[in-house]
Amino acid sequence: VCAVVGSCASGYDKETNLIGDIIYTNTEIQDKGDEGKLQYFWETFPVGIGRNGQEPGTSDTKTTYMFTYMDAESKRPSLSTLMDDYWDLLPEYQSEISDPETDLNFLRVLYAYFPTYRDSPLKPKWSRVLAVGDASGIQSPLSFGGFGALTRHLDRISTAVSEALENDCLHKDDLAEINAYTPNLSAAWMFQKAMSVRIGQNVNPKFVNRLLATNFEIMNDNMGIRTIKPFLQDVVRIDGLLGSLARTFVADPTFTPQIIAHVGIPTLVDWLGHIFMMVLYTLLHGGVSPLLEPIVDRMENPRDKFQMRRRMEAWKFGSGGDYILPGDEVT
């Protein structure tokens, strides 16, 4: 799960309320005793900028979230404990305030657990019933952004649902093809695993910060916008992933064994299987789908046509082939 607490409030410095943070850390791993160890992350968005021509630097309102990745063990801290930490740590993150209670005017407060599933996307249990959004499990285990994931897949899902209704492909096996296995989504589990700490696990308090610093420096400074932008928008592609992993090993070779020890050999082996499938899906999308499309269009059996179209979509989205890289925009 991803546990999130946060608030939307006014009273911040207008002049510095210009941009947001997607993922930011300013503390080491927190030891919560019997409740385990947690790495806190921050996310921030200015509010009101761009509306009715309001320029950056004119709004004192922003939304701040503090979140952490953890398993669903019953020993884990409650949301109220995380909220207490949020109030204590917020002045360290937003240095223009010293006491949230007196310095800010709170408009709303948020606290929630966002679950995700190792075997995502979830398969339909019944015929004629299709889960969408968060319920389908197509959201990333990193961002837990169900709405963002749905918008990315909206055209694909709406087309598939239309075809399913037109051709009576409403059995649960047919509907399972709409949200089929996508290896890049499954591979993202490894990243979440690396940024969380199991109950009773001993880890260097600086581990997650070192992991993020090394990888983001490589993706942003060494590899550029075509690597880091898809990653930040929850699209994992094999070209960017393998390139960043290779450069990470070269930049910090002694850290790689520590990462393997942290996530565990079984998790690594499982992840390598998804990486292999990402390579396969990339090849199938780039080399096989263009050849199959005219053949599939001429198929007479509507169910066979429906299933083959869904499988080609799985190759496309499962390899990140749906993402238009910066510089490749269609005009």
Side-chain angles (χ1 to χ4, degrees):
V1 298
C2 180
V4 182
V5 294
S7 67
C8 177
S10 60
Y12 293 99
D13 183 5
K14 292 181 181 181
E15 295 182 356
T16 59
N17 191 22
L18 303 176
I19 60 176
D21 291 326
I22 296 177
I23 183 168
Y24 179 92
T25 66
N26 61 347
T27 58
E28 298 177 353
I29 293 173
Q30 306 288 302
D31 191 343
K32 310 301 289 183
D34 293 338
E35 296 175 330
K37 298 176 180 179
L38 304 174
Q39 174 67 59
Y40 288 144
F41 304 90
W42 293 90
E43 190 172 30
T44 301
F45 303 102
V47 175
I49 293 175
R51 292 184 178 180
N52 302 319
Q54 191 167 352
E55 296 294 329
T58 59
S59 172
D60 69 343
T61 305
K62 67 173 66 175
T63 297
T64 56
Y65 297 125
M66 188 187 79
F67 62 97
T68 188
Y69 302 114
M70 59 185 177
D71 52 40
E73 289 280 348
S74 59
K75 294 181 179 180
R76 289 300 190 177
S78 65
L79 287 175
S80 61
T81 298
L82 298 185
M83 185 62 79
D84 287 340
D85 288 347
Y86 169 80
W87 300 127
D88 292 338
L89 295 172
L90 183 59
E92 294 184 25
Y93 176 47
Q94 300 292 323
S95 58
E96 69 263 36
I97 64 172
S98 57
D99 185 349
E101 186 175 358
T102 58
D103 294 344
L104 300 176
N105 176 33
F106 291 97
L107 307 177
R108 60 180 177 270
V109 173
L110 175 143
Y111 45 92
Y113 290 115
F114 292 95
T116 191
Y117 306 92
R118 186 178 182 85
D119 296 327
S120 294
L122 302 179
K123 300 298 182 185
K125 298 294 184 181
W126 304 277
S127 298
R128 311 183 72 87
V129 177
L130 178 68
V132 297
D134 287 344
S136 68
I138 61 173
Q139 70 271 27
S140 164
L142 282 180
S143 72
F144 289 74
F147 177 76
L150 180 60
T151 55
R152 175 191 170 200
H153 294 271
L154 189 59
D155 181 64
R156 176 185 68 80
I157 293 175
S158 59
T159 300
V161 169
S162 177
E163 290 184 17
L165 292 170
E166 291 172 0
N167 299 296
D168 197 31
C169 295
L170 302 176
H171 189 272
K172 64 180 181 179
D173 293 340
D174 297 320
L175 298 180
E177 297 289 346
I178 295 179
N179 286 325
Y181 164 73
T182 49
N184 55 356
L185 177 62
S186 297
W189 267 96
M190 175 73 163
F191 308 135
Q192 190 222 72
K193 196 79 172 178
M195 292 192 290
S196 60
V197 183
R198 299 187 300 274
I199 291 284
Q201 184 178 15
N202 292 320
V203 61
N204 188 316
K206 296 181 173 64
F207 176 84
V208 175
N209 286 333
R210 181 180 176 184
L211 177 70
L212 289 176
T214 301
N215 282 275
F216 274 96
E217 181 179 0
I218 287 171
M219 286 191 294
N220 186 58
D221 298 344
N222 296 357
M223 301 185 69
I225 191 71
R226 290 171 64 89
T227 297
I228 195 169
K229 188 175 181 180
F231 179 80
L232 292 178
Q233 294 181 337
D234 276 342
V235 180
V236 181
R237 294 169 53 96
I238 196 63
D239 49 358
L241 178 60
L242 293 183
S244 62
L245 289 175
R247 286 173 171 82
T248 297
F249 179 76
V250 173
D252 196 355
T254 62
F255 194 40
T256 301
Q258 296 180 44
I259 298 174
I260 295 173
H262 180 77
V263 300
I265 296 297
T267 299
L268 177 64
V269 172
D270 181 67
W271 180 73
L272 289 174
H274 296 308
I275 296 301
F276 171 79
M277 293 303 295
M278 283 181 63
V279 174
L280 179 61
Y281 273 42
T282 300
L283 295 175
L284 289 171
H285 170 62
V288 178
S289 287
L291 302 177
L292 277 182
E293 284 179 3
I295 299 175
V296 172
D297 289 341
R298 292 194 298 268
M299 283 183 173
E300 297 183 0
N301 187 303
R303 188 165 186 263
D304 291 342
K305 180 187 291 188
F306 173 84
Q307 292 190 345
M308 283 306 303
R309 283 179 172 171
R310 305 292 80 77
R311 287 168 192 171
M312 288 191 293
E313 288 173 350
W315 298 342
K316 180 179 181 179
F317 282 80
S319 63
D322 62 297
Y323 189 87
I324 300 176
L325 292 167
D328 294 343
E329 290 84 357
V330 178
T331 57

